Amino acid sequence: MIKVKVLVGAIAMAGAALLSQGAFAADISNPDTPLDLSSGADFGGHFITGGHKDDTFADKYTFTLTGASTISADVYSHSGNARNGLDISGLALYNAGGLLLGGNQLSTGETDQWQLDSAVLGAGSYYVLISGHAMSNSSGVYSSGVTVTAVPEPETYAMLLGGLGLIGAMVSRRQRKQA
């Protein structure tokens, strides 16, 4: 009788251990997503259905800059109340060397909002990482936008100043001829 109890106990423990594997948070990240910033902006997002509370995500949005530029990125998630939907926990900019800049959290709770504004970035490959977790077993969604603004090269400013100087010289010469 004791052997049967030990056997039943061992089976119960093995079953509990096997079933408990489903209780761990899953990684529900989107695959790496390339952004097309040729028009100056692109948008992304993540819609989660049938997830589980505490499932985590770290969505990577990759892009390449061909010249000096600044970027601005925003992430927005609205859940209706602070217990459902998604909790956005991070927004950051990376390159091959690692973290360049972290985003600023503007609001949290029913509405999560993050913003990131960069200094001048050189040509190269970058990615924006949006991280967070599911607050409940219900669905959740976030939307994001990335905007790129080209920064003129120093040579462009030199040509602008040179052109203004030539225009000034022409105006001055014309005024001397009329006098």
Side-chain angles (χ1 to χ4, degrees):
M1 187 65 161
I2 292 177
K3 288 183 181 181
V4 171
K5 288 182 180 179
V6 170
L7 182 61
V8 169
I11 291 172
M13 292 297 284
L18 184 62
L19 292 175
S20 70
Q21 297 298 318
F24 290 114
D27 180 4
I28 54 172
S29 300
N30 277 333
D32 290 358
T33 306
L35 294 175
D36 178 8
L37 298 174
S38 60
S39 65
D42 200 4
F43 303 92
H46 195 157
F47 181 60
I48 298 165
T49 59
H52 296 94
K53 183 178 182 197
D54 296 326
D55 284 354
T56 61
F57 59 89
D59 296 342
K60 186 190 285 189
Y61 296 90
T62 59
F63 60 96
T64 301
L65 299 177
T66 56
S69 304
T70 61
I71 73 156
S72 177
D74 297 291
V75 178
Y76 179 82
S77 175
H78 182 74
S79 60
N81 67 55
R83 294 182 308 275
N84 291 325
L86 302 178
D87 178 32
I88 307 298
S89 58
L91 170 64
L93 175 66
Y94 290 83
N95 69 2
L99 177 67
L100 294 177
L101 185 64
N104 297 314
Q105 186 176 38
L106 304 178
S107 66
T108 187
E110 289 184 22
T111 300
D112 280 5
Q113 186 175 4
W114 286 73
Q115 183 178 30
L116 181 141
D117 290 310
S118 77
V120 177
L121 301 172
S125 296
Y126 298 89
Y127 66 92
V128 172
L129 186 69
I130 300 170
S131 55
H133 69 274
M135 300 285 289
S136 68
N137 294 344
S138 64
S139 62
V141 65
Y142 75 75
S143 61
S144 64
V146 177
T147 305
V148 174
T149 306
V151 175
E153 302 277 335
E155 296 84 11
T156 304
Y157 289 118
M159 287 189 338
L160 175 66
L161 289 174
L164 288 174
L166 287 173
I167 291 171
M170 287 176 24
V171 169
S172 173
R173 184 176 178 193
R174 187 175 289 170
Q175 287 176 349
R176 275 189 256 147
K177 279 187 176 180
Q178 290 176 353

